[in-house]
Amino acid sequence: MTNVELDQLRKKVDETNLQLLELINQRAETVQEIGRVKEKQGMNRFEPVRERAMLDLLKEHNKGPFLNSTIEHIFKEIFKAGLELQKDDHRKALLVSRKKKADDTVVTLKGESIGNGTPQFIFGPCAVESFEQVDAVAEQVKAKGLKLLRGGAYKPRTSPYDFQGLGLEGLQILKQAADKHDLAVISEIVNPAHIEEAAEYIDVIQIGARNMQNFELLKAAGASKKPVLLKRGLSATIDEFINAAEYIMAQGNDQIILCERGIRTYEKATRNTLDISAVPILKQETHLPVFVDVTHSTGRRDLLLPTAKAALAVGADGVMAEVHPDPAVALSDSAQQMNFEQFDHFWDAIQQYLGVHAK
Ligand code: PEP
Ligand code: MN
């Protein structure tokens, strides 16, 4: 074969490549169009039966030299790429997506803005145990010039024999203490039927990790129009977390704070594994404020400060941590709540960190 012949053949291959490129992209555009139609009709993107029919048709017309198995392999890749494209389009269309809305969503509470670039903090006991207990913590929170108080009234415990919380009475205690110190209250709700009565007592509905995919609860929280702090599920992917937030926003409520609280891994040194990279990913992918709960992610008092600094360093809009007047006798999470002295040290160190690393 002469070089001239080779050059000609290569030219032909180049031309075929370009034709294929055009055809593949033409196919992709049609697939996107199909995706939009399916989305409108609420249909599933992946249809294995349809995929099988497409492969069979190709094999029927295949005159070689490629074997049917090779054709199947190549086209499976093309199908997969098309499906990915539909998924990307779907993600862009989500109400919580940064691509849908470029500006940060700011959640406002008692005159405080969450998600406007200034970090915010939520402190309070794991569970509401008595008025005196919550009042004592609220006083400490107030003394630091802070506005946000947490406390669990409905405690979704792993064991049914552990303290389950004071329920409505717990919410009343929280409100009483918060009013006394002019604070806003954040508390977990576990039952959609409780949202209406809880709304009288709390400023932010917390949806806990164990309920991240309780879709009826998400919808009810969305319909309530109260700000919602949504925690990441114990084993939820970021994609699942984002979709859970979408459930709330789809009901017309955009006052959502996402909260990374550690995920379950094989690591036993910490209660959960804090997925610190989830913070910048969530900030990129969504327009919602992102918090980090350092208490439940680490389960260790000695790690609260370093992980809080890490959270702020990667761009979290705030940090949540638990504080109790006497953690040793707390009815839940006694190993990781801070006492008042530890709270003071934690706060001083955070202030110093923020002073040094001021934006
Ligand atoms: C809580 O914040 O009180 C709590 C139970 O956390 P999580 O849902 O993240 O476990
Ligand atoms: Mn707790």
Side-chain angles (χ1 to χ4, degrees), residues 30-43:
T30 313
V31 165
Q32 281 181 307
E33 193 64 34
I34 289 175
R36 284 191 280 273
V37 172
K38 281 186 176 175
E39 181 108 30
K40 252 190 235 142
Q41 300 182 1
M43 283 165 74

Side-chain angles (χ1 to χ4, degrees), residues 2-46:
T2 65
N3 275 348
V4 175
E5 259 182 296
L6 190 60
D7 281 349
Q8 274 175 351
L9 290 171
R10 282 183 169 157
K11 202 163 160 246
K12 204 169 158 193
V13 166
D14 279 341
E15 277 166 13
T16 311
N17 281 346
L18 291 176
Q19 282 170 349
L20 277 173
L21 177 69
E22 205 177 315
L23 284 172
I24 275 182
N25 278 325
Q26 201 177 304
R27 184 188 188 281
E29 278 171 16
T30 313
V31 165
Q32 281 181 307
E33 193 64 34
I34 289 175
R36 284 191 280 273
V37 172
K38 281 186 176 175
E39 181 108 30
K40 252 190 235 142
Q41 300 182 1
M43 283 165 74
N44 220 343
R45 277 189 298 274
F46 181 59

